[in-house]
Amino acid sequence: MIKLPSLLDNDFYKFTMQNGVIKLFPRAKAKYEFINRGKHRFPPGFAAALREAVDNMSLLKLTTDEKQFLAKNCPFLDPTYLDFLQGYCYNPDEVIIRQTEENLQVSIEGYWYRAILWEVPLMALISELYYQLVQAQPESDKTISEKTKAKIEKYTELGVSVADFGTRRRHSFHVHSLVVETLKKFGGKTFVGTSNVYLAFLNKTKPIGTHAHEWFMFHAAKYGFKMANAVALENWTNVYRGDLGIALSDTYTTEAFFQQFDKKFSKLFDGVRHDSGDPVEFAQKTIKHYSSLGIDPSSKTIIFSDALNYEKVKKIAAFCAKKIGMSFGIGTNLTNDVGLNPLNIVIKMTEALPEDQQWQNVIKLSDEPGKHTGNLEAIALAKKILNIE
């Protein structure tokens, strides 16, 4: 049986969002669904093995050393939140797992402040269990380390900053740990940290992340599509007061985002994150947006995080150089480049229940139409309200 090593074996933005949810929406509820984009076929007994691994997660507890690491490295997280996290435990009853022949169904439902932590570790478990049960052998540890070393050395030659964003679709925790150790050992100033909080703790490096699409998706359910971006950004600044200042831009397309990312937000936030669509086109739009507001684009940063590899990074870096700050969050190409095909899977929020309201379908309008997620009627409604072609 696969066991996750720590409550912190999760992406940092899950904890930063959880803190925000506890402060602002403690009675809100949420539902999530597993989406098998790659149409992968899951072997017999997969659901039972995943159920066992999920049930075992109820035993995970924040240790004193881990709490001290968060207190020292994340001063924007209040002591009250760290006390809450020390008492938090996963409730496996919030996760429903079913398998019909080769098709896997996974859903999550509960109070949002609790259910928010499930997505990333569940995806990591699904990925690792898949390779284990189909008996697909990865390359050797030596080969993986050598490939990772070669990658970070090439990024160093480019003169860019790189972070590991690979928890959710990693081959395994073992490979992920090996990759981060190698990046830390050979990356120097090029390697700036990892989104995985536990590996940041083990390797004495920085946990990286701010918020995800679900932050904006919930705000649409509570405040409507027109107000979602603006209120979500306002609430984020109210919680973090200038810390964690990278704004995710593509929940309802970048065009709609920049319409509400006004001079106030553009000055308050350190930059934006790109997660779908053409990255160079996005950089052009971002530079134009800052310039139109009288803000020097070179004082801001774009975090690129969409399916990156060396060739993509090289192309982006060549365009952005001396125009705007940049950094790169690289996921699958680091943590699941082991000679096997990575799984193409996601888990997305599908419904939200704001306090004293009804369950609302939530959606994401990516800059790539193929990445839209959610109820088709809700997608059509959002496009109409936001004037999206």
Side-chain angles (χ1 to χ4, degrees), residues 34 69 312 361:
F34 169 72
F69 170 81
K312 287 184 180 179
N361 289 312

Side-chain angles (χ1 to χ4, degrees), residues 56-74:
N56 192 64
M57 287 174 65
S58 66
L59 303 176
L60 297 173
K61 301 287 286 185
L62 188 74
T63 69
T64 300
D65 287 346
E66 290 169 343
K67 184 180 180 183
Q68 290 174 348
F69 170 81
L70 291 174
K72 179 181 178 181
N73 292 278
C74 312

Side-chain angles (χ1 to χ4, degrees), residues 11 15 20 31 162 182 246 290:
D11 279 343
F15 299 107
K31 296 179 182 179
V162 169
T182 305
I246 297 294
Y290 282 127

Side-chain angles (χ1 to χ4, degrees), residues 19 72 147 209:
N19 179 44
K72 179 181 178 181
K147 287 169 73 171

Side-chain angles (χ1 to χ4, degrees), residues 22 25 105 107 131 148 157 165 178 205 224 294 347 361 363 388:
I22 290 169
F25 311 110
Q105 295 174 295
S107 59
Y131 295 114
T148 305
E157 291 174 5
F165 277 17
L178 188 64
T205 190
I347 292 176
N361 289 312
I363 62 159
I388 296 171

